[in-house]
Amino acid sequence: MMTNTNQRLTQGQFSFLPDLTDAQITKQLQYALRQGWAVGIEYTDDPHPRNTYWEMFGNPMFDLRDPAGILLEINNCRKTFASHYVRVTAFDATRGVESPKMSYLVNRPANEPGFGLVRQEVDGRNIRYTIHSYATDKGEGERY
Amino acid sequence: MNAEANTSCAEAMSDLALLYRESGIAEVFEKLDRELVGLAPVKSRIREIAALLLVDKARRAVGLAASAPSLHMSFTGNPGTGKTTVAMRMADILHRLGYTRSNHVIAVTRDDLVGQYIGHTAPKTKEVLKKAMGGVLFIDEAYYLYRPENERDYGQESIEILLQVMENQRDDLVVILAGYKNRMETFFRSNPGMASRVAHHIDFPDYSEAELLEIARLIAAQTDYRFDEAGLAAMRDYIAHRLAQPHFANARSIRNALDRARLRQAQRLFMNADKQSAPDKEALMTITAGDIRASRVFRGGLDGERKQESS
């Protein structure tokens, strides 16, 4: 059975849909800004589901009124890290901490090998399962 | 044939009228007229720009060629002539005509754009630009961005980023540069790239004495104060005296004068409080001649004493 359907990473919102167009991203950003959320852009080449903290591309953008500025940064990030995963996260500060309220991918590598299941035998015949990203077998910068 | 052309012409006219009504800029003009005394050349320029934008919109609607107009502006004039206020109204007009997505104005100066060390300027300028996207970026005293005496000044870097965004993202951002007339002219002369990207130069004239008096009345009325007859005459004298003195900042000086007059009025009411019964509403609202004539402006201003000695 194929576990990596369509060879696509499915993390965050909209990940089972076709990639969002810039116009659609703008709409989503507009929604986030209307809610008063700050938006940050992050990238990684190690998309393990437990890898929560991706690298930030610039600072999170506070006090913005219009999505055009964020889209500009997204495109900068896409240009700089063309074959990385890039995601947009909207943070809500109402509870005193910047908690993510939205998160979706805006860029993905052309070829996504996905994850493999690793079985580790421990304590006799017990088996521990973990998943492993094929891409991380290679060194940083050569993964995608 | 002629009749046909006439009807299509009439249609276009009615379309324009409809566009004008729908955009609601009449309201902004009304507000502009009500809140800003004088400034006739500025108002007429703004009307011209608005008319051009409206006609462009109408042209686009019928499929005529309409180039995306360059909307960056430069406001020149002495302090207190209403540049910031007009910028706010301009943002309203542009928003209502659909040339900006929002009517917000981000007002910045050199400090907000230029960093203090290498690599600090670009992110700083970009952050401000991002905040202003969709609306209007108002750069006050823009000529400070360019410091010819220091060739390693980071201001140049900021100008370059600004130029790039002004050119490439004309749909996202309108930049208004403001400052003294002669210094702005030097700034544009030494930055031809900037000069060629700013389409509209609007000069703000100084106010006349009559206009300043009208401004004083307007400011007073906005805060529920009014002058009695002698008070108004005193204000007229005050303006005449103040105009002759240095550091006159037009409407801003008038507002400061009124603030001080309010202080004196409060003091007067307070001192008289135990002598007579509580002041009525009329007394609380009225600024009298005494409140204004107590100003040091009538004694020659700050350096009045020195003048008296020499004369």
Side-chain angles (χ1 to χ4, degrees):
Chain A
M1 193 186 99
M2 286 270 289
T3 48
N4 184 18
T5 335
N6 300 328
Q7 297 283 308
R8 276 166 67 87
L9 187 71
T10 49
Q11 281 182 28
Q13 299 166 287
F14 319 124
S15 58
F16 286 93
L17 301 175
D19 286 340
L20 298 183
T21 64
D22 278 9
Q24 289 166 331
I25 292 170
T26 303
K27 285 265 181 198
Q28 295 299 335
L29 293 173
Q30 227 155 22
Y31 173 78
L33 291 179
R34 226 177 21 242
Q35 307 298 313
W37 299 338
V39 178
I41 298 166
E42 295 160 310
Y43 64 93
T44 192
D45 59 356
D46 177 16
H48 192 280
R50 293 316 249 312
N51 178 16
T52 323
Y53 302 111
W54 293 17
E55 260 68 54
M56 284 210 299
F57 186 80
N59 295 326
M61 287 164 268
F62 299 102
D63 304 327
L64 257 58
R65 304 282 290 270
D66 190 85
I70 306 173
L71 200 65
L72 183 79
E73 283 297 314
I74 291 177
N75 285 326
N76 277 347
C77 187
R78 281 170 170 164
K79 221 185 316 175
T80 323
F81 299 104
S83 54
H84 281 50
Y85 290 98
V86 176
R87 77 178 173 197
V88 165
T89 311
F91 299 95
D92 181 6
T94 338
R95 290 173 196 280
V97 288
E98 296 282 353
S99 42
K101 279 286 171 78
M102 296 177 83
S103 176
Y104 46 92
L105 292 173
V106 291
N107 192 55
R108 49 172 87 238
N111 175 34
E112 301 175 69
F115 301 91
L117 187 68
V118 179
R119 298 178 181 80
Q120 183 188 20
E121 281 190 273
V122 288
D123 306 334
R125 292 187 61 79
N126 280 346
I127 286 189
R128 279 186 185 158
Y129 298 100
T130 187
I131 64 163
H132 167 72
S133 164
Y134 294 122
T136 50
D137 288 341
K138 294 184 198 142
E140 235 178 317
E142 301 160 7
R143 287 175 183 167
Y144 289 100
Chain B
M1 184 68 201
N2 219 343
E4 225 172 80
N6 274 343
T7 44
S8 70
C9 183
E11 262 169 34
M13 287 301 282
S14 66
D15 262 12
L16 219 51
L18 187 71
L19 266 178
Y20 181 73
R21 262 202 313 278
E22 271 179 358
S23 63
I25 43 173
E27 214 176 292
V28 185
F29 284 143
E30 207 176 277
K31 210 170 162 192
L32 204 65
D33 277 337
R34 201 172 52 234
E35 287 179 359
L36 288 173
V37 177
L39 293 181
V42 175
K43 284 176 187 167
S44 73
R45 272 307 295 276
I46 290 178
R47 275 171 204 272
E48 275 169 33
I49 294 171
L52 172 74
L53 297 182
L54 205 63
V55 169
D56 260 6
K57 218 173 151 186
R59 280 170 64 100
R60 204 169 307 150
V62 295
L64 286 169
S67 56
S70 170
L71 293 169
H72 306 307
M73 293 173 214
S74 130
F75 289 0
T76 52
N78 288 328
T81 43
K83 296 185 290 285
T84 315
T85 318
V86 170
M88 306 257 194
R89 291 293 100 78
M90 202 69 221
D92 257 354
I93 292 171
L94 292 175
H95 176 54
R96 283 176 193 231
L97 286 174
Y99 283 90
T100 55
R101 286 187 294 272
S102 139
N103 65 347
H104 73 280
V105 179
I106 303 284
V108 296
T109 56
R110 181 191 155 93
D111 286 356
D112 302 293
L113 294 168
V114 179
Q116 289 166 10
Y117 42 85
I118 292 180
H120 189 202
T121 305
K124 219 173 158 179
T125 304
K126 278 188 188 143
E127 202 186 312
V128 168
L129 284 170
K130 274 186 259 169
K131 275 182 200 168
M133 288 267 171
V136 170
L137 177 66
F138 181 79
I139 306 177
D140 208 0
E141 299 182 282
Y143 38 77
Y144 281 132
L145 283 177
Y146 179 69
R147 292 237 167 109
E149 69 274 14
N150 181 0
E151 62 179 27
R152 276 194 262 169
D153 184 61
Y154 301 135
Q156 196 59 42
E157 194 184 346
S158 185
I159 291 176
E160 272 154 30
I161 296 168
L162 219 57
L163 281 178
Q164 202 187 337
V165 173
M166 279 166 80
E167 190 58 36
N168 298 340
Q169 296 191 280
R170 260 186 282 173
D171 298 343
D172 293 325
L173 182 67
V174 173
V175 177
I176 297 180
L177 307 164
Y180 293 104
K181 190 171 173 46
N182 49 355
R183 301 183 72 174
M184 284 304 280
E185 272 164 12
T186 338
F187 174 71
F188 282 126
R189 253 203 308 282
S190 41
N191 293 280
M194 193 64 105
S196 64
R197 280 175 184 84
V198 175
H200 307 282
H201 294 261
I202 303 181
D203 191 36
F204 287 62
D206 280 343
Y207 292 109
S208 69
E209 282 184 39
E211 283 165 356
L212 287 168
L213 191 67
E214 189 53 38
I215 289 170
R217 280 234 300 249
L218 208 65
I219 297 175
Q222 274 165 8
T223 45
D224 273 342
Y225 279 92
R226 56 180 202 75
F227 297 101
D228 62 4
E229 232 162 82
L232 203 60
M235 197 66 211
R236 192 174 294 128
D237 282 356
Y238 174 91
I239 291 167
H241 276 83
R242 186 65 187 84
L243 268 174
Q245 286 167 16
H247 307 301
F248 180 65
N250 288 295
R252 197 170 305 142
S253 290
I254 300 298
R255 194 174 53 208
N256 293 344
L258 272 177
D259 281 347
R260 287 191 295 271
R262 276 167 57 194
L263 275 179
R264 285 185 216 106
Q265 182 235 25
Q267 172 82 345
R268 170 169 58 82
L269 292 177
F270 188 73
M271 297 300 269
N272 293 342
D274 41 348
K275 283 182 221 153
Q276 58 196 46
S277 57
D280 57 359
K281 194 178 167 193
E282 193 75 350
L284 285 172
M285 277 176 71
T286 310
I287 293 175
T288 62
D291 299 331
I292 294 164
R293 292 206 187 270
S295 165
R296 67 169 174 231
V297 166
F298 288 101
R299 298 189 300 277
L302 261 183
D303 42 19
E305 282 168 20
R306 216 181 317 144
K307 269 190 197 141
Q308 269 162 14
E309 270 168 29
S310 62
S311 62

